[in-house]
Amino acid sequence: MIPKLDWSALVQAADGLGLLQGLPAELVTDYEKNEDFLCKIHRVSLEVEVLESCLQCPESGCEFPRTRGVPNMLLEEA
């Protein structure tokens, strides 16, 4: 999940909510082994609510819009 994040958008949202608390401006390269970083990103990912975005299926590439925090995953509307 971490490599697929728009890191700058996440940092900006966390900063706006006062949740930055040591989260680096750039994604660290060895994040899989960095327990301190993983704890911080876990907390931020639970606190930041994504209202508008697009989810993409890794197998088909089909995109599903998220509006007001709710993803629309109906194939006939995608």
Side-chain angles (χ1 to χ4, degrees):
M1 174 184 113
I2 293 174
K4 295 191 180 263
L5 289 173
D6 181 340
W7 190 256
S8 61
L10 179 68
V11 169
Q12 184 179 5
D15 189 29
L17 294 171
L19 300 170
L20 201 53
Q21 301 175 355
L23 200 63
E26 300 288 324
L27 180 61
V28 287
T29 55
D30 64 342
Y31 66 86
E32 299 98 341
K33 299 173 187 163
N34 188 331
E35 190 171 333
D36 183 52
F37 170 79
L38 291 175
C39 287
K40 289 176 185 175
I41 189 64
H42 178 76
R43 181 171 186 275
V44 168
S45 66
L46 291 174
E47 296 289 333
V48 171
E49 181 178 0
V50 178
L51 297 177
E52 304 291 327
S53 70
C54 184
L55 301 173
Q56 185 175 29
C57 175
E59 292 180 13
S60 69
C62 193
E63 294 185 347
F64 302 94
R66 181 186 313 205
T67 307
R68 288 180 269 138
V70 180
N72 179 355
M73 300 187 80
L74 300 173
L75 287 175
E76 57 272 0
E77 293 183 26

